[in-house]
């Protein structure tokens, strides 16, 4: 079966712009989590959605937001981009909130110039 | 912060067993030990998890000490494709996100 699909794979944006990243979970998976990965901070949790509701949130500023649709697809948005937002953004899906064995996508690499 | 401690890097000869240690001395009774790995430029891949019994699947074995304060991930016959960063993570199953530490960079050498 298809894995977790993230689009786009690569993105270049300018400081001050906003960006929307998309994640399509594995069919039947209802929980979607987002992580940011940078060389300096490693993998950091952004937020988790289940049944269209944000269930858990990491320590990121309000510029980072997300949502989940009724088909479990999720988007995350970053407004007023900063150079430090350059990172690999990873999405993971699972059957339910807190279920074991999250499956990660290949990520979206965002570069802010 | 991650609640686990792993060596930053390890080498292993191709075809030999790779034994990756993890210390988690403050583990709580309801926390599982999870292992993920991340091959360069890809998302993390689930390997195995366990609570207190040893576990084995087609990828690896997980050995957890009786006091649960440490564990070892064993890749029985390492190949070059097993070169990756391996993360040991503690997580209670419900309502908790994964907290990734820096992991162990395993290099499998020909």
């Amino acid at each position: 079966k298809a894995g977790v699909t993230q689009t786009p794979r690569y993105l270049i944006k300018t400081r001050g712009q906003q960006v929307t990243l998309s994640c399509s979970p594995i069919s039947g998976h209802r929980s979607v989590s987002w992580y940011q990965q940078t060389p300096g901070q490693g993998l950091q949790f952004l937020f988790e959605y289940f049944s269209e509701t944000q269930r858990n949130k990491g320590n990121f500023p309000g510029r980072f937001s997300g949502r989940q649709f009724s088909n479990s697809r999720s988007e995350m948005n970053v407004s007023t981009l900063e150079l430090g937002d350059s990172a690999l953004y990873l999405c993971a899906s699972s059957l339910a909130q807190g279920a074991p064995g999250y499956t990660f996508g290949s990520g979206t690499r965002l570069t802010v110039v | 912060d991650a609640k686990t401690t792993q060596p930053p890097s390890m080498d292993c000869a191709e075809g030999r067993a790779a034994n990756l240690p993890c210390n988690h001395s403050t583990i709580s009774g309801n926390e599982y030990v999870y292992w993920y790995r991340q091959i360069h430029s890809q998302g993390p891949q689930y390997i195995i998890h366990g609570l207190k019994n040893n576990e084995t699947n087609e990828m690896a074995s997980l050995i957890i000490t009786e006091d649960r304060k440490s564990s070892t991930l064993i890749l029985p016959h390492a190949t070059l494709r097993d070169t990756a960063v391996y993360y040991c993570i503690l997580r209670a199953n419900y309502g908790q996100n994964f907290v990734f530490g820096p992991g162990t960079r395993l290099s499998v050498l020909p």
Side-chain angles (χ1 to χ4, degrees):
Chain A
K1 59 183 179 183
V4 178
T5 303
Q6 292 189 246
T7 56
R9 285 284 280 125
Y10 302 93
L11 203 50
I12 300 176
K13 289 286 189 180
T14 305
R15 271 183 302 175
Q17 286 187 312
Q18 76 164 12
V19 67
T20 299
L21 311 181
S22 179
C23 173
S24 293
I26 290 174
S27 178
H29 283 195
R30 297 174 58 200
S31 175
V32 173
S33 299
W34 288 89
Y35 286 78
Q36 180 198 64
Q37 185 171 29
T38 60
Q41 300 296 320
L43 275 155
Q44 293 188 286
F45 172 74
L46 281 157
F47 26 66
E48 179 176 18
Y49 286 86
F50 177 72
S51 293
E52 301 177 65
T53 303
Q54 188 180 90
R55 303 290 179 159
N56 203 354
K57 188 176 189 304
N59 189 25
F60 277 81
R63 300 185 298 106
F64 291 81
S65 64
R67 59 178 177 169
Q68 185 180 35
F69 302 95
S70 58
N71 62 357
S72 295
R73 190 178 71 85
S74 177
E75 289 180 347
M76 67 162 283
N77 184 276
V78 188
S79 63
T80 319
L81 283 165
E82 301 175 0
L83 295 180
D85 297 331
S86 294
L88 179 66
Y89 289 88
L90 291 156
C91 165
S93 76
S94 66
L95 282 169
Q97 185 190 7
Y102 278 32
T103 302
F104 283 82
S106 296
T108 293
R109 183 162 298 280
L110 171 66
T111 302
V112 182
V113 297
Chain B
D1 289 349
K3 295 174 62 177
T4 61
T5 304
Q6 299 177 253
S9 63
M10 292 181 62
D11 291 339
C12 176
E14 188 178 18
R16 305 295 296 267
N19 297 285
L20 292 94
C22 179
N23 287 321
H24 33 79
S25 58
T26 61
I27 189 170
S28 301
N30 66 340
E31 287 182 314
Y32 288 72
V33 180
Y34 280 80
W35 283 84
Y36 276 79
R37 73 180 182 183
Q38 188 173 23
I39 297 169
H40 183 62
S41 297
Q42 298 181 22
Q45 176 190 21
Y46 167 80
I47 302 173
I48 198 167
H49 76 286
L51 184 62
K52 54 185 177 181
N53 297 321
N54 298 338
E55 301 287 345
T56 296
N57 62 20
E58 65 278 4
M59 288 183 68
S61 294
L62 173 61
I63 308 298
I64 303 174
T65 58
E66 192 169 341
D67 62 6
R68 300 209 323 126
K69 293 186 177 182
S70 66
S71 60
T72 301
L73 178 74
I74 301 172
L75 307 179
H77 305 288
T79 70
L80 299 179
R81 288 179 295 180
D82 292 322
T83 292
V85 178
Y86 287 77
Y87 300 97
C88 170
I89 306 163
L90 302 184
R91 177 175 177 255
N93 251 358
Y94 296 100
Q96 198 176 75
N97 54 281
F98 287 105
V99 179
F100 288 82
T104 294
R105 183 171 299 277
L106 174 69
S107 297
V108 180
L109 308 175

